[in-house]
Amino acid sequence: MITGLNIAKQSRQAVVGLTQKRFAHDLVVSPKTGRTIIKTGSGGRSSSNGHVITVFGCTGFLGRYLINRLAREGAHVIVPYRDEDDMRHLKVMGDLGKIVPMEIHLRNKDSLEAAIRHSDTVYNLLGRDYETKNFSFADVHVEAAGILAELAQKHDVDRFIQVSSMNAAIDSTSKFLSTKAEGEQVVRSIFPTATIVRPSFMYGQEDRFLARLAMSRGLSVRINGGKTKVRPVNVSDVAGAMHKMLDGDNTIGETFELVGDQEYTYAQLLDFIKEITNLDHGDLNVPKPIASLMAKAMNLLPWQTLGADEIERMMIDDKLTGAKTFADLDMEPTSLEITGIQYLRRFRTNLYNDEPLKKGVVGKKKTFHTSYL
Ligand SMILES: NC(=O)c1ccc[n+]([C@@H]2O[C@H](COP(=O)([O-])OP(=O)(O)OC[C@H]3O[C@@H](n4cnc5c(N)ncnc54)[C@H](OP(=O)(O)O)[C@@H]3O)[C@@H](O)[C@H]2O)c1
């Protein structure tokens, strides 16, 4: 029988059912600021993990993979952007109101401060492979990184995670890499507990590494005779590692070198791409001075092309310096040979689109995995 008493009892039970139990591990106290970060909900995108995070450089390649991971567990993510069209895809990655776009300009300190003021974590992914008439490498990699670190310090941000690059070195012949190293130093001097991330070339959908090698088709030339050794890393692995750094106390003040599971020469990579795409790649070796001149001439075109500094980077082997790696985050990098076809199949012509891989070799020893086809 439905009585007033029964209804009151049922609604009380419903309220009790909805009230979430709290556990000690739902509450994290920042060792730096004493700020409490309280988790609520079951951990999905409609919950809250208590973090307010600003991701500078979120409109780029790595940014979307990182935001996706942060937003799907209910973080509030501040998304600083320059062009509104470049951040629209990020808004749907989180629940309503969780992704907060804010317009910024690197030379407008107030706009940067507004984007940092309420956050407990700042990721700095700002970077550029080439200089523009408005911004040099130093402007983006050093000066902007320093300003962001200063503002983060001023607003008591708990964690600052700075993305640099593999092979960053002050005395590097590449301006990109030397300014990345300078940026690391500036950030560390202002924000000593910052975590530095040095990824190798990142690959994935819409990358600028495998896609660029595959797109060059028969026109491709080999720089350094294709002998430069690289350890390409999956962009999703880098985003995963950076996500782990959010609450990983063992990452405070550390440097991480994030590289793929294998080392390849460019020549081996071109063979791998040829194997998957059935597209022939030229093997004309172009000496560095000529390649640099060609790059400078191509840079006169109105669209972005390979820059002279990128040619310089293509001459430098990936060398691990003994910094922490994926293993220190209990992660194993994805194998390019297993996942590469996902990103390269689209370069096949219609004649070969559904053909399985031939059993090939990378270099002299390695055999392709064909089981995933
Ligand atoms: N991709 C790789 O293989 C690789 C390898 C080693 C290191 N890294 C480093 O990893 C980070 C992320 O790489 P990514 O591939 O995602 O880079 P990306 O696609 O080129 O994105 C760079 C981001 O930085 C922003 N940015 C650059 N110059 C700016 C400026 N003057 N003012 C405001 N914003 C600016 C871009 O904003 P807009 O969208 O407005 O241009 C974009 O959001 C970068 O620091 C990069 O140097 C990348």
Side-chain angles (χ1 to χ4, degrees):
M1 195 172 45
I2 301 172
T3 63
L5 199 66
N6 271 348
I7 292 173
K9 196 173 162 193
Q10 275 170 12
S11 53
R12 208 171 43 243
Q13 277 168 349
V15 171
V16 171
L18 284 175
T19 310
Q20 205 212 342
K21 283 186 190 152
R22 287 268 164 77
F23 299 99
H25 61 257
D26 287 335
L27 192 136
V28 179
V29 181
S30 153
K32 184 178 167 197
T33 57
R35 190 186 343 230
T36 47
I37 292 169
I38 304 166
K39 288 185 194 171
T40 51
S42 56
R45 68 184 245 142
S46 300
S47 322
S48 170
N49 70 354
H51 285 287
V52 182
I53 305 166
T54 309
V55 184
F56 288 97
C58 56
T59 50
F61 175 45
L62 172 62
R64 74 194 71 142
Y65 289 86
L66 178 62
I67 303 256
N68 179 256
R69 285 181 185 256
L70 299 174
R72 74 182 177 207
E73 61 174 31
H76 271 95
V77 190
I78 316 281
V79 171
Y81 68 92
R82 293 195 284 184
D83 183 336
E84 208 178 332
D85 285 343
D86 291 342
M87 63 76 191
R88 286 183 180 190
H89 59 290
L90 302 174
K91 280 192 83 170
V92 288
M93 289 186 180
D95 208 355
L96 196 63
K98 287 285 181 64
I99 306 284
V100 185
M102 292 184 81
E103 191 171 356
I104 54 141
H105 192 285
L106 287 195
R107 298 209 168 91
N108 180 342
K109 209 169 165 180
D110 291 343
S111 69
L112 302 176
E113 189 160 4
I116 287 181
R117 184 173 290 133
H118 301 288
S119 300
D120 57 74
T121 304
V122 171
Y123 285 94
N124 178 20
L125 277 55
L126 292 176
R128 193 76 325 158
D129 289 337
Y130 50 90
E131 298 188 296
T132 64
K133 67 179 172 18
N134 296 318
F135 291 97
S136 65
F137 283 129
D139 289 340
V140 182
H141 298 160
V142 189
E143 205 180 309
I147 294 173
L148 297 185
E150 254 172 43
L151 292 171
Q153 204 53 291
K154 178 176 167 190
H155 288 284
D156 266 349
V157 165
D158 293 324
R159 302 295 312 274
F160 191 94
I161 297 158
Q162 163 76 9
V163 181
S164 176
S165 174
M166 201 52 207
N167 300 328
I170 294 288
D171 58 355
S172 175
T173 45
S174 151
K175 235 170 141 184
F176 173 93
L177 294 173
S178 64
T179 51
K180 279 285 190 190
E182 256 185 86
E184 288 183 13
Q185 289 185 352
V186 168
V187 166
R188 269 277 157 72
S189 65
I190 301 170
F191 203 108
T193 56
T195 304
I196 310 277
V197 179
R198 295 173 161 190
S200 180
F201 289 104
M202 291 185 279
Y203 65 88
Q205 300 293 355
E206 0 71 22
D207 66 8
R208 295 186 301 276
F209 181 69
L210 283 185
R212 188 176 268 169
L213 290 176
M215 263 188 306
S216 48
R217 311 210 166 178
L219 298 171
S220 86
V221 291
R222 293 185 184 204
I223 313 291
N224 197 20
K227 286 186 292 207
T228 307
K229 295 176 192 136
V230 284
R231 304 184 67 125
V233 59
N234 194 300
V235 64
S236 208
D237 291 342
V238 176
M242 291 178 65
H243 177 215
K244 279 198 163 194
M245 289 171 191
L246 181 63
D247 291 316
D249 288 348
N250 62 341
T251 65
I252 295 175
E254 299 288 349
T255 299
F256 283 81
E257 285 176 329
L258 302 181
V259 297
D261 65 330
Q262 292 274 338
E263 180 180 81
Y264 303 97
T265 62
Y266 274 96
Q268 287 173 326
L269 283 171
L270 285 170
D271 287 348
F272 175 60
I273 290 168
K274 181 179 169 190
E275 193 71 27
I276 291 185
T277 59
N278 274 320
L279 293 169
D280 232 334
H281 285 81
D283 55 4
L284 176 67
N285 182 41
V286 178
K288 190 175 110 185
I290 297 177
S292 300
L293 264 180
M294 281 164 60
K296 280 181 188 153
M298 283 199 307
N299 287 167
L300 297 174
L301 293 168
W303 56 87
Q304 201 261 314
T305 55
L306 193 75
D309 196 78
E310 288 175 272
I311 303 276
E312 198 63 59
R313 281 171 74 193
M314 288 174 82
M315 312 282 298
I316 300 172
D317 289 337
D318 273 354
K319 277 198 204 93
L320 290 162
T321 63
K324 290 195 167 181
T325 61
F326 280 116
D328 297 283
L329 295 162
D330 291 328
M331 287 179 73
E332 245 183 72
T334 310
S335 161
L336 170 63
E337 285 163 46
I338 292 179
T339 56
I341 189 154
Q342 286 176 33
Y343 315 118
L344 290 168
R345 189 190 281 276
R346 70 191 168 105
F347 294 101
R348 288 183 176 185
T349 67
N350 61 337
L351 297 177
Y352 305 108
N353 195 41
D354 58 351
E355 264 190 28
L357 275 184
K358 286 177 230 139
K359 212 167 168 61
V361 282
V362 174
K364 292 199 176 76
K365 291 188 203 124
K366 279 210 61 78
T367 303
F368 288 147
H369 297 260
T370 49
S371 52
Y372 53 91
L373 282 173

